Amino acid sequence: MTEAAELPPAPEEARTVFGDRFADAVRYAELLADAGVQRGLIGPREVPRLWERHLLNCAVLSEVVPEGVTVCDVGSGAGLPGIPLALVRPDLKITLLEPLLRRTNFLTEVVELLGLDHVTVVRGRAEEVLGKLPPVHVVTARAVAPLDRLAAWGVPLLRPYGEMLLLKGDTAEEEVKAAGSALSKLGAVGTSVLHVGEGVVDPQSTVVRVEVGESPGGVRFAAKRAKAARTGRARRRRG
């Protein structure tokens, strides 16, 4: 039996959450269960719980993403949470940021196959694209790294008064407490733990929200961004 055959039918909640993009969500789940497993992007043991643990768990993040904003999904991997978010929120402009070529190839194929015109795939690390990508309103990430490290990567990519929305597990509260000092140095002005997906996923998805002030990343990153912007302008003038 192939890994794709082990994918369970979509639950009724998926029809409600994904609406008119339900068929695309099913196609994405099939791709994860087949090519995603074959390419090592997702473990074979995850296939039976793809819907609840991955697609729906990520899609409900949309409950706390503001309307019509720009989003950068850092360390997007197989497209979680970026792809499910894109399926339920066509109003968003989403960048899937991922350093590994085999993953960006997969993401590009998925985006093209599903016709996600509001999604762009960029290969690179967060620290490499600073100043090259326009600052965004929201940075998302899921199970990429501890909170302090995630914030160091993601906060500098934000616009002033933007926010990070990070899918976390049971240790979210402890991570927030441990990262307090690091977050303050990065320009964070507020941190909270939210629970989303009531009636869709059980347990609900846990989201850490990190809000920043007028200088995302703090003074050091403000200088770095300014330098990158000057370099970009100089290149454009020479071009």
Side-chain angles (χ1 to χ4, degrees):
M1 185 181 289
T2 65
E3 297 296 349
E6 297 176 14
L7 178 69
E12 278 305 308
E13 292 86 353
R15 292 183 181 275
T16 303
V17 170
F18 290 103
D20 60 0
R21 298 306 294 262
F22 172 70
D24 290 324
V26 171
R27 186 73 187 107
Y28 176 50
E30 291 170 346
L31 287 166
L32 286 175
D34 188 358
V37 171
Q38 291 173 17
R39 300 188 197 182
L41 304 182
I42 196 162
R45 292 183 181 179
E46 295 302 309
V47 173
R49 50 187 185 177
L50 267 178
W51 284 105
E52 288 81 1
R53 186 181 173 92
H54 298 286
L55 275 77
L56 288 173
N57 180 274
C58 289
V60 296
L61 181 63
S62 65
E63 293 178 17
V64 289
V65 178
E67 199 171 325
V69 298
T70 52
V71 178
C72 183
D73 189 31
V74 173
S76 196
L80 301 164
I83 298 290
L85 186 61
L87 287 169
V88 297
R89 293 290 299 275
D91 60 298
L92 304 175
K93 186 169 182 175
I94 300 176
T95 298
L96 306 179
L97 183 62
E98 168 56 48
L100 294 184
L101 180 60
R102 63 187 170 90
R103 292 177 180 170
T104 54
N105 285 343
F106 176 78
L107 293 173
T108 300
E109 291 166 19
V110 170
V111 166
E112 291 176 355
L113 183 68
L114 303 184
L116 297 173
D117 298 334
H118 57 306
V119 177
T120 303
V121 178
V122 174
R123 185 184 175 197
R125 301 182 184 279
E127 57 269 33
E128 295 169 348
V129 301
L130 184 63
K132 298 176 184 176
L133 291 180
V136 296
H137 297 91
V138 175
V139 164
T140 59
R142 178 183 189 240
V144 175
L147 179 57
D148 54 351
R149 203 183 314 161
L150 258 182
W153 296 335
V155 167
L157 300 176
L158 290 169
R159 294 168 48 135
Y161 307 104
E163 60 185 343
M164 290 190 77
L165 295 170
L166 311 171
L167 283 163
K168 282 288 184 179
D170 297 336
T171 61
E173 297 278 3
E174 289 82 357
E175 283 196 59
V176 167
K177 290 176 184 174
S181 176
L183 293 174
S184 294
K185 289 176 183 175
L186 286 165
V189 296
T191 309
S192 51
V193 177
L194 315 171
H195 299 283
V196 296
E198 185 176 2
V200 178
V201 288
D202 184 20
Q204 294 180 53
S205 299
T206 301
V207 180
V208 173
R209 171 186 271 156
V210 178
E211 300 167 276
V212 301
E214 62 182 351
S215 184
V219 176
R220 183 165 64 92
F221 284 102
K224 197 171 181 179
R225 267 195 303 271
K227 181 179 179 182
R230 287 195 302 272
T231 303
R233 285 196 297 269
R235 284 178 184 156
R236 285 193 294 273
R237 283 197 298 269
R238 287 197 299 269

